[in-house]
Every structure is written in C-alpha cells, then in structure tokens.
Amino acid sequence: MQKISLEATAREQLTAAAASAAGRASTTVYGGHEHRLRQTVIALVAGQALSEHANPGEATVFVLRGRVRLTAGGDAWEGRDGDFLVVPDGLHGLEALEDSAVLLTVSK
C-alpha cells in the first residue's frame, strides 16, 4: 500500500511551477507509461497553458486548487477547487486562469 497526500503534492508542484521559467511543473503519482492508468499532478501558474493536444486515452481532470479552463473545439468549461472535468475525446487544451493544480487521470 502507498499513501500520497495530493494536497502536499499540489503545494510542492505549485512551488516548482512558480520557480520554473515555463510556469509549470508535474509529477506522476500513480502508474506511468507501462500501465494502463496514469495519474499526474500538474501545476500551472496563472496564464500558462497546456497547448492543444490529443487524448492518449480516456482522461479526466480533478481541480485540486485554483481555476482552469478546458477547451475543445469551440467549447470551453471552467473548473475550480473540487470540480471534476471529463476531457472530451479529440483535441483539447488546458489553461490556468489563476495559479492552479490539477490531478490528470488517463486510462489507455
């Protein structure tokens, strides 16, 4: 068994993102490329984004802190602390409207 504090991980990644020239940081908390399921805490400082990209499989975003905008085509959904967003199949992007940390879950 393994226990991970998502709150502590979000704080650590937000600190790393603020210190990064790219304004973002991430760490995989479960799984990886060799598994079907991967969960990653991603932190973005306000104004930073993950540019449009395709899904590697089914995906969800759980907002741990902050406020984000998920976009796909002409649609957009905003999420804030505690919101759960289902990532649409196809091209999509994620933008931090304020300093934010999310838990991205991907199943291949």
Side-chain angles (χ1 to χ4, degrees):
M1 174 181 268
Q2 182 180 11
K3 177 185 170 195
I4 297 170
S5 169
L6 292 177
E7 282 291 319
T9 303
R11 275 193 310 273
E12 292 164 4
Q13 293 308 303
L14 281 165
T15 299
S20 166
R24 61 184 179 197
S26 65
T27 187
T28 297
V29 293
Y30 180 80
H33 295 291
E34 67 280 357
H35 294 92
R36 286 186 183 184
L37 180 68
R38 183 174 71 234
Q39 293 182 293
T40 305
V41 173
I42 301 170
L44 301 165
V45 297
Q48 293 299 318
L50 300 177
S51 60
E52 193 172 68
H53 57 280
N55 283 359
E58 293 180 279
T60 61
V61 171
F62 179 74
V63 183
L64 298 167
R65 275 201 184 165
R67 192 163 59 101
V68 297
R69 178 179 297 125
L70 175 66
T71 57
D75 295 322
W77 304 268
E78 284 192 20
R80 53 183 78 234
D81 298 21
D83 284 347
F84 182 82
L85 304 171
V86 176
V87 179
D89 194 22
L91 295 175
H92 61 278
L94 185 72
E95 176 188 4
L97 302 175
E98 56 189 52
D99 291 355
S100 301
V102 301
L103 177 67
L104 170 66
T105 300
V106 176
S107 176
K108 298 187 248 177

